[in-house]
Amino acid sequence: MDFAAARSPPVPLVCFDRREFSEILNVYGRMVAAGEWRDYAIDTLKDRAVFSIFRRTSEMPLFRIEKNPKLARRQGAFSVVAAGGLVLKRGHDLGQVMKVFDKALKLVR
């Protein structure tokens, strides 16, 4: 029996490249140093790559940074999604999308 012929070709996965991952880790490192974030997870799937950010190791991430190449020509391949599923920012350039984390939150009275 020829096992090599019976194997199916590997399924291609979407993942972050080195430059994209570096941009994500720059922001992540800043937020960890500020005590805001503590844990992360990376998922590489057939249709998208996801970098999930956690305050504590819990069931639900605070934010997800997603790369979906199918949306690259329309809305942009990159998006930042909040815990409830709200898309905070979407675009073609990861650096611009990550600027959503640069805004300082202010207390409104």
Side-chain angles (χ1 to χ4, degrees):
M1 181 171 202
D2 186 17
F3 289 109
R7 270 192 249 155
S8 61
V11 178
L13 298 175
V14 176
C15 57
F16 295 105
D17 65 24
R18 184 183 297 252
R19 182 191 56 81
E20 295 163 350
F21 196 60
S22 177
E23 286 185 43
I24 292 170
L25 287 181
N26 280 338
V27 173
Y28 179 78
R30 242 188 10 239
M31 298 302 269
V32 166
E36 297 290 321
W37 299 342
R38 296 211 175 129
D39 201 7
Y40 70 90
I42 301 172
D43 296 310
T44 54
L45 308 168
K46 289 188 296 187
D47 60 336
R48 62 193 167 118
V50 181
F51 186 94
S52 301
I53 300 164
F54 299 87
R55 180 165 306 193
R56 291 180 184 82
T57 307
S58 63
E59 298 174 12
M60 192 153 174
L62 288 174
F63 300 103
R64 292 187 326 262
I65 302 165
E66 298 185 0
K67 177 182 179 180
N68 189 341
K70 289 183 181 178
L71 299 176
R73 291 183 178 242
R74 291 182 230 138
Q75 304 151 343
F78 302 102
S79 61
V80 174
V81 182
L86 176 69
V87 177
L88 299 177
K89 193 154 186 178
R90 178 176 281 152
H92 299 281
D93 181 29
L94 181 61
Q96 291 296 319
V97 172
M98 295 293 289
K99 286 186 178 180
V100 75
F101 296 117
D102 291 345
K103 297 177 184 175
L105 299 176
K106 297 179 182 176
L107 179 63
V108 177
R109 293 183 185 206

